[in-house]
Amino acid sequence: MANGQWYPPEWPDRIRALADGTLIPVSPRRAATVLLLKDTAAGPVVHMLRRRASMAFAGGAYAYPGGGVDPRDDDLHVRWAGPTRAWWADRLGVDESGAQAIVCAAVRETYEEAGVLLAGPDAGSVVGDTTGDDWEADRAALVARELSFAEFLDRRGLVLRSDLLGAWTRWITPEFEARRYDTWFFVAALPEGQRTRNASTEADRTVWIRPEEAAAGYDRGELLMMPPTIATLRQLLPYGTAADALAAAPARDMTPVLARARLVDGEIVLSWPGHDEFTKHVPTTGAPSGSVAEAASGTAPAGARGATAAGATTAPRTGGGPA
């Protein structure tokens, strides 16, 4: 049975164009995605959003909250708790201003899309209720990019709790994609007293699900998701609590995962280093094999399109996706 792996239908043609030198890769934009966790009696669960079926990119797939980095967040001083900007710069492989903007993006997107804010009035607390009209007005301004997250924090006198995040992995959109993202994935635990809600205009459903349940659904072909999502779900399986996952984050390898497309014996081999399960063989002419063919022909598993719980990487609002 085919699994729930999803690919954009235009990938085969673009892969062939990259292989024959007629496609020039675009530069990736920075983005951040957050795996928000909470503990249950059955183990940790992760918060997912289902992208609306009408979305041009990965419609019907499930996603973590996430989106593009706002460059305005790298030049305004932000009240900061947790590891220093220098520490984050080293961890993320960027300069200090870039690190601030990436961490801001992770916290902003969690607030915009899930209603959870990893910030508080001081370095040891987080805000409580963020559902009032004034909070919603600010959230809407953030979504519309009328307000930067740094400005939002400054206006409300809030401290960004970088200590509540753990950098988990980094994926870069393949070179043959039309819209490319350099995406840092973070883990975070749901703060005590806060609740998630579906605040995203791009999602028609949210769900808390055990990583092993989502992975099993993917393996059965019932749940639709993109490579970084199933990869990160499998990476969460060893951890019995959200705190365990956060404690493991600092030691994780942040070397970017970038798909490669190469010609081998008359066909294109599409692979992600370190993730052999995603390898696909694309004929130099005709339809590709496996799940790529299903996506290209519009015949991805019906169960995947109507899945009730799963996970896919978030496609930033500016279009495309980080994987």
Side-chain angles (χ1 to χ4, degrees):
M1 178 182 294
N3 60 29
Q5 193 170 349
W6 182 90
Y7 289 100
E10 68 273 13
W11 269 19
D13 287 342
R14 296 188 65 85
I15 291 169
R16 287 189 282 268
L18 181 68
D20 65 23
T22 60
L23 176 67
I24 299 176
V26 299
S27 296
R29 289 187 56 204
R30 290 176 174 176
T33 291
V34 177
L35 285 68
L36 187 63
L37 306 170
K38 72 174 181 179
D39 292 324
T40 71
V45 290
V46 61
H47 181 69
M48 307 299 235
L49 324 171
R50 184 175 65 186
R51 292 174 60 78
R52 295 183 183 277
S54 59
M55 298 290 291
F57 184 89
Y62 281 70
Y64 307 123
V69 168
D70 186 342
R72 295 176 297 176
D73 288 333
D74 68 4
D75 60 1
L76 178 66
H77 178 73
V78 172
R79 296 177 182 87
W80 193 272
T84 65
R85 291 168 181 79
W87 184 94
W88 278 108
D90 181 68
R91 182 75 181 114
L92 302 179
V94 297
D95 59 24
E96 290 189 30
S97 61
Q100 174 175 295
I102 292 165
V103 172
C104 278
V107 177
R108 184 198 71 230
E109 289 292 330
T110 308
Y111 176 52
E112 288 183 6
E113 299 193 346
V116 171
L117 184 56
L118 305 178
D122 56 55
S125 64
V126 294
V127 297
D129 185 10
T130 62
T131 59
D133 289 344
D134 59 333
W135 284 100
E136 184 58 26
D138 277 352
R139 195 193 67 80
L142 287 168
V143 171
R145 298 296 180 260
E146 297 167 355
L147 180 68
S148 75
F149 193 66
E151 292 167 339
F152 163 77
L153 293 173
D154 184 62
R155 173 189 295 182
R156 288 189 169 270
L158 295 175
V159 178
L160 186 148
R161 294 289 306 278
S162 81
D163 55 318
L164 300 182
L165 287 170
W168 192 255
T169 190
R170 179 181 177 185
W171 287 63
I172 300 177
T173 308
E175 292 182 332
F176 42 82
E177 264 278 41
R179 297 183 180 92
R180 302 185 62 216
Y181 293 89
D182 184 352
T183 303
W184 285 262
F185 287 70
F186 296 84
V187 291
L190 179 69
E192 185 176 353
Q194 291 199 28
R195 296 177 179 272
T196 56
R197 60 191 177 94
N198 183 7
S200 173
T201 59
E202 296 182 351
D204 61 10
R205 179 185 173 86
T206 64
V207 65
W208 286 99
I209 186 170
R210 291 185 301 120
E212 54 266 44
E213 181 183 350
Y218 169 90
D219 290 336
R220 292 192 299 267
E222 297 171 356
L223 305 180
L224 182 65
M225 59 187 79
M226 290 177 281
T229 308
I230 182 59
T232 49
L233 286 170
R234 296 200 201 284
Q235 290 162 358
L236 289 174
L237 297 182
Y239 304 103
T241 67
D244 289 343
L246 279 164
R252 287 189 52 80
D253 183 9
M254 294 298 290
T255 302
V257 179
L258 173 64
R260 298 183 301 183
R262 62 190 190 278
L263 280 170
V264 179
D265 297 330
E267 68 178 1
I268 297 168
V269 178
L270 174 61
S271 63
W272 278 257
H275 299 273
D276 292 343
E277 70 169 300
F278 306 131
T279 299
K280 293 296 173 187
H281 297 261
V282 182
T284 53
T285 58
S289 61
S291 294
V292 180
E294 292 166 351
S297 63
T299 57
R305 294 180 182 275
T308 57
T313 54
T314 295
R317 271 184 296 279
T318 48

Coordinates of all heavy atoms in Angstrom, one line a residue, residues 132-183:
G132 N -8.8 38.1 24.3 CA -9.6 39.3 24.3 C -9.5 40.1 23.0 O -8.7 39.8 22.1
D133 N -10.4 41.0 22.8 CA -10.5 41.8 21.5 C -9.2 42.5 21.2 O -8.7 42.6 20.1 CB -11.6 42.8 21.6 CG -13.0 42.1 21.5 OD1 -13.0 40.9 21.2 OD2 -14.0 42.8 21.9
D134 N -8.5 43.1 22.3 CA -7.3 43.8 22.0 C -6.1 42.8 21.6 O -5.3 43.2 20.7 CB -6.8 44.6 23.2 CG -6.6 43.7 24.5 OD1 -7.3 42.6 24.6 OD2 -5.8 44.1 25.4
W135 N -6.1 41.6 22.2 CA -5.1 40.6 21.7 C -5.4 40.2 20.3 O -4.5 40.1 19.5 CB -5.2 39.4 22.7 CG -4.5 39.6 24.0 CD1 -5.1 39.9 25.2 CD2 -3.1 39.6 24.3 NE1 -4.2 40.0 26.2 CE2 -3.0 39.8 25.7 CE3 -2.0 39.3 23.5 CZ2 -1.7 39.8 26.3 CZ3 -0.7 39.3 24.1 CH2 -0.6 39.6 25.5
E136 N -6.7 40.0 20.0 CA -7.0 39.6 18.6 C -6.7 40.6 17.6 O -6.2 40.3 16.5 CB -8.5 39.2 18.6 CG -8.9 38.6 17.2 CD -8.2 37.4 16.8 OE1 -7.7 36.7 17.7 OE2 -8.1 37.1 15.6
A137 N -6.8 41.9 18.0 CA -6.5 43.0 17.0 C -5.0 42.9 16.8 O -4.6 43.1 15.6 CB -6.9 44.3 17.6
D138 N -4.2 42.7 17.8 CA -2.7 42.6 17.6 C -2.4 41.4 16.8 O -1.5 41.5 15.9 CB -2.0 42.6 18.9 CG -1.8 44.0 19.5 OD1 -2.1 45.0 18.8 OD2 -1.4 44.1 20.7
R139 N -3.0 40.3 17.1 CA -2.7 39.1 16.3 C -3.1 39.3 14.8 O -2.3 38.9 13.9 CB -3.5 37.9 16.9 CG -3.0 36.5 16.4 CD -4.0 35.4 16.7 NE -5.2 35.6 16.0 CZ -5.4 35.2 14.7 NH1 -4.4 34.6 14.0 NH2 -6.5 35.4 14.1
A140 N -4.2 39.9 14.5 CA -4.6 40.2 13.1 C -3.5 41.1 12.5 O -3.2 40.9 11.3 CB -6.0 40.8 13.1
A141 N -3.0 42.0 13.2 CA -2.0 43.0 12.6 C -0.7 42.2 12.4 O 0.0 42.5 11.4 CB -1.8 44.1 13.6
L142 N -0.4 41.2 13.2 CA 0.8 40.4 12.9 C 0.6 39.6 11.7 O 1.5 39.5 10.8 CB 1.1 39.5 14.1 CG 1.6 40.2 15.4 CD1 1.6 39.2 16.6 CD2 3.1 40.6 15.2
V143 N -0.6 39.0 11.6 CA -0.8 38.1 10.4 C -0.7 39.0 9.1 O -0.2 38.5 8.1 CB -2.2 37.5 10.5 CG1 -2.6 36.8 9.2 CG2 -2.3 36.5 11.7
A144 N -1.3 40.2 9.2 CA -1.3 41.1 8.0 C 0.1 41.7 7.8 O 0.3 42.4 6.8 CB -2.3 42.1 8.1
R145 N 1.0 41.5 8.7 CA 2.4 42.1 8.6 C 2.3 43.6 8.7 O 3.2 44.3 8.3 CB 3.1 41.6 7.4 CG 3.4 40.1 7.3 CD 4.3 39.7 8.5 NE 4.5 38.2 8.4 CZ 3.9 37.3 9.2 NH1 2.9 37.7 10.0 NH2 4.2 36.1 9.1
E146 N 1.2 44.1 9.4 CA 1.2 45.5 9.7 C 2.0 45.8 10.9 O 2.3 47.0 11.2 CB -0.3 45.9 9.9 CG -1.2 45.7 8.7 CD -2.7 45.8 9.0 OE1 -3.0 46.0 10.2 OE2 -3.5 45.8 8.1
L147 N 2.3 44.8 11.7 CA 3.1 44.9 12.9 C 4.1 43.8 13.0 O 3.8 42.7 12.7 CB 2.1 44.8 14.1 CG 2.6 44.9 15.5 CD1 3.0 46.3 15.8 CD2 1.5 44.4 16.5
S148 N 5.3 44.2 13.3 CA 6.4 43.2 13.4 C 6.2 42.6 14.8 O 5.7 43.2 15.7 CB 7.8 43.8 13.2 OG 8.2 44.5 14.4
F149 N 6.8 41.4 15.0 CA 6.7 40.7 16.3 C 7.5 41.4 17.3 O 7.1 41.6 18.5 CB 7.1 39.2 16.2 CG 6.7 38.4 17.4 CD1 5.4 38.2 17.7 CD2 7.7 37.9 18.2 CE1 5.0 37.4 18.8 CE2 7.3 37.2 19.3 CZ 6.0 36.9 19.6
A150 N 8.6 42.0 16.9 CA 9.5 42.8 17.8 C 8.7 44.0 18.3 O 8.7 44.3 19.5 CB 10.8 43.2 17.2
E151 N 8.0 44.6 17.4 CA 7.1 45.8 17.8 C 6.0 45.4 18.8 O 5.7 46.1 19.7 CB 6.6 46.5 16.6 CG 7.6 47.1 15.7 CD 7.1 47.5 14.4 OE1 6.1 46.9 13.9 OE2 7.7 48.4 13.7
F152 N 5.4 44.2 18.5 CA 4.3 43.7 19.3 C 4.8 43.4 20.7 O 4.2 43.8 21.7 CB 3.8 42.4 18.7 CG 3.0 41.5 19.6 CD1 1.7 41.8 19.9 CD2 3.5 40.4 20.1 CE1 0.9 41.0 20.7 CE2 2.8 39.5 20.9 CZ 1.5 39.9 21.2
L153 N 6.0 42.8 20.9 CA 6.5 42.5 22.2 C 6.8 43.8 22.9 O 6.6 44.0 24.1 CB 7.8 41.7 22.1 CG 7.6 40.2 21.5 CD1 9.0 39.6 21.3 CD2 6.8 39.4 22.5
D154 N 7.4 44.8 22.2 CA 7.8 46.0 22.8 C 6.6 46.8 23.3 O 6.5 47.4 24.4 CB 8.6 46.9 21.8 CG 9.1 48.2 22.4 OD1 9.9 48.1 23.4 OD2 8.7 49.2 22.0
R155 N 5.5 46.8 22.4 CA 4.3 47.5 22.8 C 3.7 47.0 24.0 O 3.1 47.7 24.9 CB 3.3 47.4 21.6 CG 1.9 48.0 21.9 CD 0.9 47.7 20.8 NE 1.3 48.3 19.5 CZ 0.6 48.2 18.4 NH1 -0.6 47.4 18.5 NH2 0.9 48.8 17.3
R156 N 3.7 45.7 24.2 CA 3.1 45.1 25.4 C 4.0 44.8 26.5 O 3.6 44.3 27.6 CB 2.4 43.8 24.9 CG 1.2 44.0 24.1 CD 0.4 42.7 23.9 NE -0.9 42.9 23.2 CZ -2.0 43.2 23.9 NH1 -2.0 43.2 25.2 NH2 -3.1 43.4 23.3
G157 N 5.3 45.2 26.4 CA 6.2 45.1 27.5 C 6.5 43.6 27.8 O 6.7 43.3 29.0
L158 N 6.6 42.8 26.8 CA 6.7 41.3 27.0 C 8.2 40.9 26.8 O 8.9 41.4 26.0 CB 5.8 40.6 26.1 CG 4.3 40.7 26.3 CD1 3.5 40.0 25.2 CD2 3.9 40.2 27.7
V159 N 8.5 39.8 27.5 CA 9.8 39.2 27.3 C 9.7 37.9 26.5 O 8.8 37.1 26.8 CB 10.4 38.8 28.7 CG1 11.8 38.1 28.6 CG2 10.6 40.1 29.6
L160 N 10.5 37.8 25.4 CA 10.4 36.6 24.6 C 11.1 35.4 25.4 O 12.3 35.6 25.8 CB 11.1 36.8 23.3 CG 11.0 35.7 22.3 CD1 11.0 36.2 20.8 CD2 12.2 34.7 22.4
R161 N 10.5 34.3 25.5 CA 11.0 33.2 26.3 C 11.7 32.2 25.4 O 11.2 31.1 25.1 CB 9.8 32.5 27.1 CG 9.2 33.3 28.1 CD 10.1 33.5 29.3 NE 10.6 32.2 29.9 CZ 9.9 31.5 30.7 NH1 8.7 31.9 31.1 NH2 10.4 30.3 31.1
S162 N 12.9 32.5 25.0 CA 13.6 31.6 24.1 C 14.0 30.3 24.8 O 14.3 29.3 24.1 CB 14.9 32.3 23.5 OG 15.9 32.3 24.5
D163 N 14.0 30.3 26.1 CA 14.3 29.1 26.9 C 13.2 28.1 26.7 O 13.4 26.9 27.1 CB 14.5 29.5 28.3 CG 13.3 30.2 29.0 OD1 12.8 31.1 28.3 OD2 13.0 29.9 30.1
L164 N 12.0 28.4 26.2 CA 10.9 27.5 26.0 C 11.0 26.8 24.7 O 10.1 25.9 24.4 CB 9.6 28.2 26.2 CG 9.3 28.9 27.6 CD1 8.0 29.5 27.6 CD2 9.5 27.9 28.7
L165 N 12.0 27.1 23.9 CA 12.2 26.5 22.6 C 13.4 25.7 22.5 O 14.4 26.0 23.2 CB 12.3 27.6 21.5 CG 11.1 28.4 21.1 CD1 11.5 29.6 20.2 CD2 10.1 27.5 20.3
G166 N 13.4 24.6 21.7 CA 14.6 23.8 21.4 C 14.7 23.7 19.9 O 13.8 23.3 19.3
A167 N 15.9 24.0 19.4 CA 16.1 23.9 17.9 C 16.3 22.4 17.7 O 17.1 21.7 18.3 CB 17.4 24.6 17.5
W168 N 15.5 21.9 16.7 CA 15.3 20.4 16.5 C 16.0 19.9 15.2 O 16.8 19.0 15.2 CB 13.9 20.1 16.5 CG 13.6 18.6 16.6 CD1 13.2 17.8 15.6 CD2 13.7 17.8 17.7 NE1 13.1 16.5 16.0 CE2 13.4 16.4 17.4 CE3 14.1 18.0 19.1 CZ2 13.4 15.4 18.3 CZ3 14.1 16.9 20.0 CH2 13.8 15.6 19.5
T169 N 15.7 20.6 14.1 CA 16.3 20.2 12.8 C 16.2 21.3 11.8 O 15.5 22.3 12.1 CB 15.6 18.9 12.3 OG1 16.3 18.4 11.2 CG2 14.2 19.2 11.9
R170 N 16.8 21.1 10.7 CA 16.7 22.2 9.7 C 16.6 21.6 8.3 O 17.4 20.7 8.0 CB 18.0 23.1 9.8 CG 18.1 24.2 8.7 CD 19.4 24.9 9.0 NE 19.7 26.0 8.0 CZ 20.8 26.7 7.9 NH1 21.8 26.4 8.8 NH2 20.9 27.6 7.0
W171 N 15.6 22.0 7.5 CA 15.4 21.5 6.2 C 15.4 22.6 5.2 O 14.8 23.7 5.5 CB 14.1 20.7 6.1 CG 14.1 19.4 6.8 CD1 14.3 19.1 8.1 CD2 13.9 18.1 6.1 NE1 14.2 17.8 8.4 CE2 14.0 17.1 7.2 CE3 13.7 17.7 4.8 CZ2 13.8 15.8 6.9 CZ3 13.5 16.3 4.6 CH2 13.6 15.4 5.6
I172 N 16.0 22.4 4.0 CA 15.9 23.4 3.0 C 15.2 22.9 1.8 O 15.4 21.7 1.3 CB 17.4 23.8 2.5 CG1 18.1 24.4 3.7 CG2 17.3 24.8 1.4 CD1 19.6 24.8 3.4
T173 N 14.2 23.7 1.3 CA 13.5 23.2 0.1 C 14.4 22.9 -1.0 O 15.4 23.5 -1.3 CB 12.5 24.4 -0.4 OG1 11.8 24.9 0.8 CG2 11.6 24.0 -1.4
P174 N 14.1 21.8 -1.7 CA 14.9 21.3 -2.8 C 15.2 22.4 -3.9 O 14.3 23.3 -4.1 CB 14.2 20.2 -3.5 CG 13.3 19.6 -2.3 CD 13.0 20.8 -1.5
E175 N 16.3 22.3 -4.6 CA 16.7 23.4 -5.5 C 15.7 23.4 -6.7 O 15.7 24.5 -7.4 CB 18.1 23.1 -6.0 CG 19.2 23.3 -5.0 CD 20.6 23.0 -5.5 OE1 20.7 22.2 -6.5 OE2 21.5 23.6 -5.0
F176 N 15.0 22.4 -7.0 CA 14.1 22.4 -8.1 C 12.7 23.0 -7.8 O 11.9 23.1 -8.7 CB 13.9 21.0 -8.7 CG 13.7 20.0 -7.6 CD1 12.5 19.7 -7.1 CD2 14.8 19.2 -7.2 CE1 12.3 18.8 -6.1 CE2 14.6 18.2 -6.3 CZ 13.4 18.0 -5.7
E177 N 12.5 23.5 -6.6 CA 11.2 24.1 -6.2 C 11.2 25.5 -6.7 O 12.2 26.2 -6.6 CB 11.0 24.0 -4.7 CG 10.1 22.9 -4.3 CD 8.7 23.1 -4.4 OE1 8.3 23.7 -5.5 OE2 7.9 22.8 -3.6
A178 N 10.0 26.0 -7.1 CA 9.8 27.4 -7.5 C 9.9 28.4 -6.3 O 10.5 29.5 -6.5 CB 8.5 27.6 -8.2
R179 N 9.4 28.0 -5.2 CA 9.5 28.8 -3.9 C 10.3 27.9 -2.9 O 9.9 26.8 -2.6 CB 8.1 29.1 -3.4 CG 7.3 30.0 -4.3 CD 6.0 30.3 -3.6 NE 5.2 31.2 -4.5 CZ 4.2 30.7 -5.3 NH1 4.1 29.4 -5.4 NH2 3.5 31.5 -6.1
R180 N 11.4 28.5 -2.4 CA 12.3 27.7 -1.5 C 12.4 28.4 -0.2 O 12.3 29.6 0.0 CB 13.6 27.6 -2.2 CG 13.6 27.0 -3.5 CD 15.0 26.7 -4.0 NE 15.8 25.9 -3.2 CZ 17.1 26.0 -2.9 NH1 17.8 27.0 -3.4 NH2 17.7 25.2 -2.1
Y181 N 12.5 27.5 0.9 CA 12.6 28.0 2.2 C 13.7 27.3 3.0 O 13.9 26.1 2.8 CB 11.3 27.8 3.0 CG 10.2 28.7 2.4 CD1 9.4 28.3 1.4 CD2 10.0 30.0 2.9 CE1 8.5 29.1 0.8 CE2 9.1 30.8 2.4 CZ 8.3 30.4 1.3 OH 7.4 31.2 0.8
D182 N 14.4 28.0 3.8 CA 15.4 27.4 4.7 C 14.8 27.4 6.0 O 14.7 28.5 6.7 CB 16.7 28.3 4.6 CG 17.8 27.8 5.5 OD1 17.6 26.8 6.2 OD2 18.9 28.3 5.4
T183 N 14.3 26.3 6.5 CA 13.4 26.2 7.6 C 14.0 25.6 8.8 O 14.5 24.4 8.7 CB 12.1 25.5 7.2 OG1 11.5 26.1 6.1 CG2 11.1 25.5 8.4

